[in-house]
Amino acid sequence: MGEWEMLLRLVLSGVLGALIGFERRSHSKQAGLRTHFVVAVGSALIMLVSKYGFWDLVGMNSVSLDPSRVAAQVVSGVGFLGAGTIIVEHQFVRGLTTAAGLWATAGIGIAIGAGMYIPGVGATVLIVIGLEIFNKLQKNEVYSIGRANLSEEGINSALDILKNSKMKISNIQVNRHHNKSNKDLEVRITFKVYTRNQNEIKDMMVNLLKIPYVRDVNIE
């Protein structure tokens, strides 16, 4: 295969990866257009080298080639890159979809590098359309993470406010820890708030702060 066709495959792979990256970027995710573009082009390049870079060794005695071995390492190697986009904070996980997108982008790059144009383009279209559809279906599921620091006496009052709130609140977690400065026992309540109404969030923060035992409330 000519080197110009190889270059065409790299360009096509980069364009397809950039499409997925643009969708992620439009939703303010950690890995955006540039990251997906580089992953796609790099994967396609590795696949080209794996498939065509060792033809001068074919036919030599005691030499056997397995083009799939190098490509297989791309799939596992991208896993480390995807792990960097996953954020675990107080048992809440973010970035899984972006990590999966990077992994899929690597697969698209491998497909285009191998000359499988239709599967590569088809996968890109399915991923972009699927992400957009599911984003719209889950637009009402946008949530904020709330944290309230308080003393142990205020746990029941704070939980009552969260339980009786008109907003959807889930994943309520209560963690006890000792204050490093005075070694007193403190409590942190962490929760998810599902709403787009900022006034509702402000009202709940005010209600929590009315509890004498609550030191501070943060919702982001």
Tab-separated table of all heavy atoms in Angstrom, residues 21-83:
chain	number	residue	atom	x	y	z
A	21	GLY	N	-14.404	13.843	20.142
A	21	GLY	CA	-13.838	14.808	21.069
A	21	GLY	C	-14.628	16.100	21.125
A	21	GLY	O	-14.788	16.696	22.196
A	22	PHE	N	-15.147	16.531	19.981
A	22	PHE	CA	-15.954	17.759	19.946
A	22	PHE	C	-17.232	17.583	20.757
A	22	PHE	O	-17.660	18.490	21.477
A	22	PHE	CB	-16.302	18.116	18.507
A	22	PHE	CG	-17.125	19.371	18.381
A	22	PHE	CD1	-16.533	20.621	18.458
A	22	PHE	CD2	-18.502	19.295	18.195
A	22	PHE	CE1	-17.296	21.780	18.352
A	22	PHE	CE2	-19.262	20.440	18.095
A	22	PHE	CZ	-18.660	21.689	18.172
A	23	GLU	N	-17.846	16.402	20.659
A	23	GLU	CA	-19.052	16.135	21.434
A	23	GLU	C	-18.741	16.169	22.930
A	23	GLU	O	-19.493	16.740	23.719
A	23	GLU	CB	-19.622	14.767	21.042
A	23	GLU	CG	-21.019	14.479	21.584
A	23	GLU	CD	-21.030	14.042	23.034
A	23	GLU	OE1	-19.999	13.498	23.495
A	23	GLU	OE2	-22.054	14.260	23.717
A	24	ARG	N	-17.625	15.573	23.330
A	24	ARG	CA	-17.233	15.581	24.743
A	24	ARG	C	-16.909	17.001	25.206
A	24	ARG	O	-17.262	17.407	26.312
A	24	ARG	CB	-16.015	14.679	24.954
A	24	ARG	CG	-16.256	13.195	24.749
A	24	ARG	CD	-17.016	12.576	25.907
A	24	ARG	NE	-18.469	12.800	25.811
A	24	ARG	CZ	-19.306	12.653	26.815
A	24	ARG	NH1	-18.852	12.331	28.002
A	24	ARG	NH2	-20.595	12.855	26.657
A	25	ARG	N	-16.218	17.747	24.338
A	25	ARG	CA	-15.841	19.112	24.681
A	25	ARG	C	-17.069	20.009	24.840
A	25	ARG	O	-17.101	20.895	25.705
A	25	ARG	CB	-14.926	19.675	23.584
A	25	ARG	CG	-14.450	21.104	23.823
A	25	ARG	CD	-13.545	21.188	25.034
A	25	ARG	NE	-13.008	22.511	25.223
A	25	ARG	CZ	-12.238	22.875	26.244
A	25	ARG	NH1	-11.916	21.984	27.150
A	25	ARG	NH2	-11.788	24.099	26.353
A	26	SER	N	-18.087	19.775	24.019
A	26	SER	CA	-19.296	20.594	24.084
A	26	SER	C	-20.031	20.412	25.402
A	26	SER	O	-20.852	21.247	25.778
A	26	SER	CB	-20.227	20.243	22.916
A	26	SER	OG	-20.698	18.912	23.020
A	27	HIS	N	-19.738	19.328	26.099
A	27	HIS	CA	-20.349	19.087	27.400
A	27	HIS	C	-19.345	19.300	28.534
A	27	HIS	O	-19.548	18.804	29.654
A	27	HIS	CB	-20.910	17.671	27.466
A	27	HIS	CG	-22.060	17.442	26.517
A	27	HIS	ND1	-23.335	17.896	26.764
A	27	HIS	CD2	-22.111	16.842	25.303
A	27	HIS	CE1	-24.131	17.564	25.762
A	27	HIS	NE2	-23.411	16.925	24.856
A	28	SER	N	-18.259	20.012	28.220
A	28	SER	CA	-17.256	20.413	29.221
A	28	SER	C	-16.656	19.221	29.951
A	28	SER	O	-16.455	19.249	31.169
A	28	SER	CB	-17.874	21.386	30.239
A	28	SER	OG	-18.390	22.525	29.591
A	29	LYS	N	-16.338	18.159	29.211
A	29	LYS	CA	-15.716	16.989	29.803
A	29	LYS	C	-14.195	17.141	29.815
A	29	LYS	O	-13.634	17.994	29.140
A	29	LYS	CB	-16.123	15.723	29.046
A	29	LYS	CG	-17.631	15.500	29.026
A	29	LYS	CD	-18.207	15.425	30.436
A	29	LYS	CE	-19.706	15.219	30.410
A	29	LYS	NZ	-20.285	15.158	31.765
A	30	GLN	N	-13.538	16.258	30.610
A	30	GLN	CA	-12.103	16.416	30.843
A	30	GLN	C	-11.292	16.257	29.561
A	30	GLN	O	-10.388	17.039	29.289
A	30	GLN	CB	-11.631	15.388	31.889
A	30	GLN	CG	-12.149	15.639	33.284
A	30	GLN	CD	-13.500	14.998	33.516
A	30	GLN	OE1	-14.108	14.477	32.593
A	30	GLN	NE2	-13.974	15.042	34.741
A	31	ALA	N	-11.552	15.220	28.797
A	31	ALA	CA	-10.812	14.977	27.551
A	31	ALA	C	-11.658	15.453	26.383
A	31	ALA	O	-12.770	14.966	26.177
A	31	ALA	CB	-10.487	13.487	27.415
A	32	GLY	N	-11.130	16.404	25.629
A	32	GLY	CA	-11.910	16.993	24.557
A	32	GLY	C	-11.382	16.682	23.177
A	32	GLY	O	-10.865	15.595	22.912
A	33	LEU	N	-11.496	17.664	22.303
A	33	LEU	CA	-11.181	17.471	20.894
A	33	LEU	C	-9.731	17.068	20.676
A	33	LEU	O	-9.440	16.119	19.951
A	33	LEU	CB	-11.506	18.765	20.141
A	33	LEU	CG	-11.511	18.724	18.614
A	33	LEU	CD1	-12.525	19.736	18.087
A	33	LEU	CD2	-10.141	19.060	18.048
A	34	ARG	N	-8.803	17.775	21.284
A	34	ARG	CA	-7.388	17.500	21.037
A	34	ARG	C	-6.982	16.106	21.501
A	34	ARG	O	-6.249	15.393	20.809
A	34	ARG	CB	-6.527	18.562	21.733
A	34	ARG	CG	-6.648	19.951	21.125
A	34	ARG	CD	-5.767	20.942	21.844
A	34	ARG	NE	-6.148	21.060	23.254
A	34	ARG	CZ	-5.508	21.815	24.131
A	34	ARG	NH1	-4.443	22.491	23.754
A	34	ARG	NH2	-5.925	21.891	25.385
A	35	THR	N	-7.470	15.724	22.685
A	35	THR	CA	-7.098	14.408	23.218
A	35	THR	C	-7.608	13.290	22.331
A	35	THR	O	-6.875	12.351	21.996
A	35	THR	CB	-7.650	14.234	24.647
A	35	THR	OG1	-7.176	15.302	25.466
A	35	THR	CG2	-7.209	12.913	25.243
A	36	HIS	N	-8.873	13.369	21.933
A	36	HIS	CA	-9.445	12.326	21.082
A	36	HIS	C	-8.782	12.312	19.705
A	36	HIS	O	-8.583	11.240	19.118
A	36	HIS	CB	-10.956	12.536	20.935
A	36	HIS	CG	-11.736	12.148	22.149
A	36	HIS	ND1	-11.813	12.938	23.275
A	36	HIS	CD2	-12.465	11.026	22.425
A	36	HIS	CE1	-12.571	12.341	24.180
A	36	HIS	NE2	-12.971	11.183	23.703
A	37	PHE	N	-8.431	13.476	19.200
A	37	PHE	CA	-7.747	13.553	17.898
A	37	PHE	C	-6.401	12.829	17.964
A	37	PHE	O	-6.074	12.019	17.096
A	37	PHE	CB	-7.551	15.018	17.514
A	37	PHE	CG	-6.739	15.225	16.262
A	37	PHE	CD1	-7.320	15.117	15.006
A	37	PHE	CD2	-5.382	15.510	16.336
A	37	PHE	CE1	-6.568	15.294	13.853
A	37	PHE	CE2	-4.625	15.687	15.195
A	37	PHE	CZ	-5.223	15.582	13.948
A	38	VAL	N	-5.632	13.123	18.997
A	38	VAL	CA	-4.305	12.507	19.126
A	38	VAL	C	-4.428	10.998	19.342
A	38	VAL	O	-3.657	10.209	18.767
A	38	VAL	CB	-3.527	13.164	20.290
A	38	VAL	CG1	-2.242	12.413	20.563
A	38	VAL	CG2	-3.227	14.625	19.963
A	39	VAL	N	-5.390	10.566	20.157
A	39	VAL	CA	-5.575	9.127	20.398
A	39	VAL	C	-5.925	8.414	19.100
A	39	VAL	O	-5.385	7.338	18.797
A	39	VAL	CB	-6.675	8.895	21.456
A	39	VAL	CG1	-7.081	7.425	21.502
A	39	VAL	CG2	-6.183	9.333	22.833
A	40	ALA	N	-6.816	9.000	18.306
A	40	ALA	CA	-7.234	8.360	17.057
A	40	ALA	C	-6.082	8.264	16.065
A	40	ALA	O	-5.842	7.208	15.464
A	40	ALA	CB	-8.400	9.131	16.439
A	41	VAL	N	-5.364	9.366	15.885
A	41	VAL	CA	-4.246	9.365	14.936
A	41	VAL	C	-3.149	8.420	15.414
A	41	VAL	O	-2.569	7.655	14.625
A	41	VAL	CB	-3.692	10.794	14.739
A	41	VAL	CG1	-2.438	10.769	13.877
A	41	VAL	CG2	-4.737	11.673	14.087
A	42	GLY	N	-2.839	8.472	16.700
A	42	GLY	CA	-1.803	7.595	17.232
A	42	GLY	C	-2.162	6.130	17.092
A	42	GLY	O	-1.310	5.305	16.734
A	43	SER	N	-3.408	5.791	17.347
A	43	SER	CA	-3.834	4.398	17.207
A	43	SER	C	-3.749	3.938	15.758
A	43	SER	O	-3.321	2.810	15.474
A	43	SER	CB	-5.272	4.241	17.715
A	43	SER	OG	-5.366	4.599	19.078
A	44	ALA	N	-4.179	4.812	14.839
A	44	ALA	CA	-4.099	4.459	13.418
A	44	ALA	C	-2.648	4.278	12.983
A	44	ALA	O	-2.328	3.350	12.221
A	44	ALA	CB	-4.774	5.545	12.570
A	45	LEU	N	-1.773	5.153	13.471
A	45	LEU	CA	-0.359	5.041	13.118
A	45	LEU	C	0.236	3.736	13.631
A	45	LEU	O	0.972	3.039	12.909
A	45	LEU	CB	0.414	6.229	13.688
A	45	LEU	CG	1.926	6.225	13.463
A	45	LEU	CD1	2.247	6.251	11.976
A	45	LEU	CD2	2.587	7.402	14.184
A	46	ILE	N	-0.076	3.391	14.859
A	46	ILE	CA	0.444	2.138	15.424
A	46	ILE	C	-0.073	0.944	14.637
A	46	ILE	O	0.654	-0.021	14.382
A	46	ILE	CB	0.066	2.036	16.910
A	46	ILE	CG1	0.802	3.117	17.712
A	46	ILE	CG2	0.411	0.654	17.468
A	46	ILE	CD1	0.369	3.228	19.144
A	47	MET	N	-1.340	1.012	14.238
A	47	MET	CA	-1.900	-0.082	13.453
A	47	MET	C	-1.218	-0.186	12.101
A	47	MET	O	-0.931	-1.292	11.615
A	47	MET	CB	-3.412	0.129	13.264
A	47	MET	CG	-4.097	-1.041	12.579
A	47	MET	SD	-3.984	-2.547	13.571
A	47	MET	CE	-4.121	-3.797	12.296
A	48	LEU	N	-0.931	0.946	11.469
A	48	LEU	CA	-0.236	0.932	10.177
A	48	LEU	C	1.165	0.340	10.316
A	48	LEU	O	1.603	-0.465	9.480
A	48	LEU	CB	-0.157	2.354	9.613
A	48	LEU	CG	-1.462	2.944	9.065
A	48	LEU	CD1	-1.301	4.427	8.774
A	48	LEU	CD2	-1.892	2.205	7.796
A	49	VAL	N	1.862	0.751	11.363
A	49	VAL	CA	3.203	0.204	11.592
A	49	VAL	C	3.123	-1.293	11.871
A	49	VAL	O	3.942	-2.087	11.374
A	49	VAL	CB	3.885	0.940	12.768
A	49	VAL	CG1	5.205	0.261	13.124
A	49	VAL	CG2	4.127	2.398	12.412
A	50	SER	N	2.115	-1.680	12.658
A	50	SER	CA	1.966	-3.096	12.990
A	50	SER	C	1.670	-3.940	11.749
A	50	SER	O	2.157	-5.058	11.615
A	50	SER	CB	0.836	-3.256	14.019
A	50	SER	OG	0.597	-4.619	14.301
A	51	LYS	N	0.871	-3.363	10.847
A	51	LYS	CA	0.417	-4.140	9.696
A	51	LYS	C	1.382	-4.092	8.520
A	51	LYS	O	1.546	-5.082	7.798
A	51	LYS	CB	-0.956	-3.633	9.251
A	51	LYS	CG	-1.641	-4.517	8.221
A	51	LYS	CD	-3.058	-4.028	7.962
A	51	LYS	CE	-3.760	-4.936	6.956
A	51	LYS	NZ	-5.155	-4.467	6.689
A	52	TYR	N	2.022	-2.923	8.323
A	52	TYR	CA	2.837	-2.755	7.124
A	52	TYR	C	4.306	-2.430	7.406
A	52	TYR	O	5.115	-2.352	6.481
A	52	TYR	CB	2.263	-1.624	6.256
A	52	TYR	CG	0.830	-1.843	5.856
A	52	TYR	CD1	-0.197	-1.085	6.430
A	52	TYR	CD2	0.492	-2.811	4.914
A	52	TYR	CE1	-1.522	-1.285	6.067
A	52	TYR	CE2	-0.835	-3.011	4.541
A	52	TYR	CZ	-1.830	-2.248	5.123
A	52	TYR	OH	-3.149	-2.455	4.761
A	53	GLY	N	4.654	-2.205	8.656
A	53	GLY	CA	6.006	-1.731	8.948
A	53	GLY	C	7.082	-2.797	8.956
A	53	GLY	O	8.265	-2.465	9.053
A	54	PHE	N	6.696	-4.060	8.846
A	54	PHE	CA	7.688	-5.124	8.950
A	54	PHE	C	7.684	-6.051	7.733
A	54	PHE	O	8.109	-7.198	7.822
A	54	PHE	CB	7.438	-5.951	10.220
A	54	PHE	CG	7.360	-5.119	11.474
A	54	PHE	CD1	6.134	-4.804	12.034
A	54	PHE	CD2	8.517	-4.629	12.066
A	54	PHE	CE1	6.063	-4.031	13.180
A	54	PHE	CE2	8.452	-3.859	13.211
A	54	PHE	CZ	7.220	-3.551	13.772
A	55	TRP	N	7.195	-5.509	6.603
A	55	TRP	CA	7.131	-6.354	5.407
A	55	TRP	C	8.511	-6.771	4.915
A	55	TRP	O	8.671	-7.785	4.233
A	55	TRP	CB	6.387	-5.616	4.283
A	55	TRP	CG	4.907	-5.633	4.445
A	55	TRP	CD1	4.105	-4.569	4.739
A	55	TRP	CD2	4.030	-6.758	4.359
A	55	TRP	NE1	2.794	-4.942	4.840
A	55	TRP	CE2	2.720	-6.299	4.600
A	55	TRP	CE3	4.223	-8.114	4.098
A	55	TRP	CZ2	1.611	-7.134	4.587
A	55	TRP	CZ3	3.115	-8.947	4.085
A	55	TRP	CH2	1.835	-8.468	4.325
A	56	ASP	N	9.530	-5.989	5.229
A	56	ASP	CA	10.872	-6.352	4.778
A	56	ASP	C	11.402	-7.599	5.490
A	56	ASP	O	12.397	-8.196	5.063
A	56	ASP	CB	11.835	-5.178	4.987
A	56	ASP	CG	11.860	-4.718	6.434
A	56	ASP	OD1	10.816	-4.854	7.115
A	56	ASP	OD2	12.908	-4.229	6.875
A	57	LEU	N	10.727	-7.992	6.582
A	57	LEU	CA	11.158	-9.177	7.315
A	57	LEU	C	10.388	-10.432	6.911
A	57	LEU	O	10.757	-11.536	7.325
A	57	LEU	CB	10.977	-8.948	8.821
A	57	LEU	CG	11.749	-7.759	9.420
A	57	LEU	CD1	11.441	-7.634	10.900
A	57	LEU	CD2	13.247	-7.916	9.197
A	58	VAL	N	9.322	-10.217	6.132
A	58	VAL	CA	8.515	-11.369	5.737
A	58	VAL	C	9.329	-12.292	4.835
A	58	VAL	O	10.002	-11.854	3.902
A	58	VAL	CB	7.242	-10.908	4.998
A	58	VAL	CG1	6.463	-12.115	4.457
A	58	VAL	CG2	6.357	-10.104	5.946
A	59	GLY	N	9.262	-13.559	5.104
A	59	GLY	CA	9.987	-14.538	4.288
A	59	GLY	C	11.350	-14.899	4.827
A	59	GLY	O	11.969	-15.858	4.364
A	60	MET	N	11.837	-14.132	5.803
A	60	MET	CA	13.141	-14.456	6.382
A	60	MET	C	13.010	-15.677	7.286
A	60	MET	O	11.978	-15.914	7.914
A	60	MET	CB	13.682	-13.263	7.186
A	60	MET	CG	13.991	-12.037	6.336
A	60	MET	SD	14.657	-10.668	7.343
A	60	MET	CE	16.155	-11.427	7.999
A	61	ASN	N	14.052	-16.453	7.306
A	61	ASN	CA	14.055	-17.648	8.142
A	61	ASN	C	13.955	-17.279	9.622
A	61	ASN	O	14.555	-16.305	10.091
A	61	ASN	CB	15.336	-18.462	7.895
A	61	ASN	CG	15.387	-19.011	6.483
A	61	ASN	OD1	14.344	-19.275	5.871
A	61	ASN	ND2	16.596	-19.184	5.955
A	62	SER	N	13.220	-18.078	10.339
A	62	SER	CA	13.071	-17.924	11.798
A	62	SER	C	12.362	-16.635	12.183
A	62	SER	O	12.485	-16.164	13.323
A	62	SER	CB	14.440	-17.980	12.511
A	62	SER	OG	15.108	-19.190	12.215
A	63	VAL	N	11.632	-16.019	11.247
A	63	VAL	CA	10.887	-14.789	11.552
A	63	VAL	C	9.405	-15.040	11.288
A	63	VAL	O	9.019	-15.447	10.186
A	63	VAL	CB	11.376	-13.609	10.685
A	63	VAL	CG1	10.484	-12.398	10.919
A	63	VAL	CG2	12.815	-13.277	11.027
A	64	SER	N	8.579	-14.832	12.293
A	64	SER	CA	7.135	-14.934	12.145
A	64	SER	C	6.503	-13.648	12.660
A	64	SER	O	6.938	-13.098	13.679
A	64	SER	CB	6.584	-16.130	12.929
A	64	SER	OG	6.878	-16.001	14.307
A	65	LEU	N	5.521	-13.147	11.952
A	65	LEU	CA	4.903	-11.871	12.286
A	65	LEU	C	3.453	-12.080	12.706
A	65	LEU	O	2.728	-12.883	12.134
A	65	LEU	CB	4.945	-10.923	11.087
A	65	LEU	CG	6.337	-10.529	10.585
A	65	LEU	CD1	6.214	-9.622	9.362
A	65	LEU	CD2	7.124	-9.836	11.682
A	66	ASP	N	3.042	-11.319	13.708
A	66	ASP	CA	1.645	-11.316	14.150
A	66	ASP	C	1.212	-9.857	14.273
A	66	ASP	O	1.402	-9.230	15.317
A	66	ASP	CB	1.512	-12.033	15.497
A	66	ASP	CG	0.070	-12.089	15.973
A	66	ASP	OD1	-0.826	-11.666	15.205
A	66	ASP	OD2	-0.169	-12.546	17.103
A	67	PRO	N	0.653	-9.282	13.209
A	67	PRO	CA	0.289	-7.861	13.225
A	67	PRO	C	-0.693	-7.486	14.330
A	67	PRO	O	-0.754	-6.327	14.726
A	67	PRO	CB	-0.343	-7.647	11.839
A	67	PRO	CG	0.193	-8.752	10.999
A	67	PRO	CD	0.354	-9.915	11.926
A	68	SER	N	-1.457	-8.436	14.818
A	68	SER	CA	-2.470	-8.119	15.825
A	68	SER	C	-1.857	-7.838	17.197
A	68	SER	O	-2.511	-7.242	18.052
A	68	SER	CB	-3.466	-9.281	15.941
A	68	SER	OG	-2.819	-10.445	16.427
A	69	ARG	N	-0.611	-8.253	17.419
A	69	ARG	CA	-0.021	-8.098	18.746
A	69	ARG	C	0.180	-6.636	19.118
A	69	ARG	O	-0.128	-6.215	20.236
A	69	ARG	CB	1.308	-8.839	18.826
A	69	ARG	CG	1.182	-10.357	18.748
A	69	ARG	CD	2.520	-11.038	18.943
A	69	ARG	NE	3.060	-10.768	20.277
A	69	ARG	CZ	4.242	-11.184	20.684
A	69	ARG	NH1	5.029	-11.866	19.858
A	69	ARG	NH2	4.667	-10.917	21.895
A	70	VAL	N	0.696	-5.836	18.175
A	70	VAL	CA	0.913	-4.420	18.469
A	70	VAL	C	-0.414	-3.711	18.663
A	70	VAL	O	-0.584	-2.894	19.580
A	70	VAL	CB	1.726	-3.756	17.335
A	70	VAL	CG1	1.892	-2.268	17.609
A	70	VAL	CG2	3.081	-4.429	17.197
A	71	ALA	N	-1.394	-4.011	17.803
A	71	ALA	CA	-2.701	-3.376	17.922
A	71	ALA	C	-3.355	-3.711	19.254
A	71	ALA	O	-4.040	-2.878	19.858
A	71	ALA	CB	-3.600	-3.814	16.767
A	72	ALA	N	-3.158	-4.922	19.720
A	72	ALA	CA	-3.761	-5.328	20.993
A	72	ALA	C	-3.219	-4.507	22.151
A	72	ALA	O	-3.939	-4.234	23.125
A	72	ALA	CB	-3.502	-6.815	21.233
A	73	GLN	N	-1.967	-4.102	22.061
A	73	GLN	CA	-1.378	-3.297	23.134
A	73	GLN	C	-1.973	-1.898	23.180
A	73	GLN	O	-1.957	-1.251	24.231
A	73	GLN	CB	0.143	-3.220	22.950
A	73	GLN	CG	0.842	-4.573	22.962
A	73	GLN	CD	0.484	-5.407	24.175
A	73	GLN	OE1	0.530	-4.921	25.302
A	73	GLN	NE2	0.126	-6.657	23.948
A	74	VAL	N	-2.478	-1.419	22.043
A	74	VAL	CA	-3.108	-0.102	22.027
A	74	VAL	C	-4.349	-0.113	22.914
A	74	VAL	O	-4.589	0.813	23.696
A	74	VAL	CB	-3.492	0.299	20.587
A	74	VAL	CG1	-4.268	1.624	20.589
A	74	VAL	CG2	-2.249	0.416	19.726
A	75	VAL	N	-5.145	-1.158	22.783
A	75	VAL	CA	-6.389	-1.247	23.547
A	75	VAL	C	-6.113	-1.217	25.044
A	75	VAL	O	-6.779	-0.510	25.806
A	75	VAL	CB	-7.153	-2.531	23.170
A	75	VAL	CG1	-8.421	-2.648	23.995
A	75	VAL	CG2	-7.483	-2.537	21.688
A	76	SER	N	-5.121	-1.978	25.496
A	76	SER	CA	-4.798	-1.991	26.923
A	76	SER	C	-4.076	-0.710	27.341
A	76	SER	O	-4.282	-0.218	28.450
A	76	SER	CB	-3.936	-3.212	27.256
A	76	SER	OG	-2.737	-3.204	26.506
A	77	GLY	N	-3.242	-0.181	26.453
A	77	GLY	CA	-2.493	1.031	26.793
A	77	GLY	C	-3.371	2.245	26.963
A	77	GLY	O	-3.126	3.084	27.845
A	78	VAL	N	-4.403	2.364	26.150
A	78	VAL	CA	-5.308	3.506	26.258
A	78	VAL	C	-6.070	3.466	27.578
A	78	VAL	O	-6.535	4.493	28.067
A	78	VAL	CB	-6.279	3.533	25.055
A	78	VAL	CG1	-7.373	4.569	25.249
A	78	VAL	CG2	-5.514	3.828	23.779
A	79	GLY	N	-6.169	2.287	28.180
A	79	GLY	CA	-6.834	2.183	29.466
A	79	GLY	C	-6.194	3.059	30.527
A	79	GLY	O	-6.888	3.643	31.366
A	80	PHE	N	-4.874	3.206	30.478
A	80	PHE	CA	-4.191	4.078	31.445
A	80	PHE	C	-4.539	5.541	31.193
A	80	PHE	O	-4.685	6.324	32.127
A	80	PHE	CB	-2.681	3.871	31.352
A	80	PHE	CG	-2.230	2.521	31.826
A	80	PHE	CD1	-1.981	1.493	30.935
A	80	PHE	CD2	-2.065	2.278	33.180
A	80	PHE	CE1	-1.565	0.248	31.374
A	80	PHE	CE2	-1.656	1.039	33.637
A	80	PHE	CZ	-1.411	0.019	32.731
A	81	LEU	N	-4.675	5.908	29.920
A	81	LEU	CA	-5.053	7.285	29.599
A	81	LEU	C	-6.482	7.560	30.050
A	81	LEU	O	-6.775	8.617	30.605
A	81	LEU	CB	-4.928	7.509	28.084
A	81	LEU	CG	-5.241	8.917	27.566
A	81	LEU	CD1	-4.282	9.936	28.170
A	81	LEU	CD2	-5.156	8.945	26.053
A	82	GLY	N	-7.354	6.586	29.822
A	82	GLY	CA	-8.739	6.746	30.242
A	82	GLY	C	-8.877	6.851	31.744
A	82	GLY	O	-9.735	7.578	32.258
A	83	ALA	N	-8.016	6.145	32.467
A	83	ALA	CA	-8.078	6.202	33.931
A	83	ALA	C	-7.803	7.608	34.442
A	83	ALA	O	-8.309	7.999	35.503
A	83	ALA	CB	-7.076	5.223	34.526
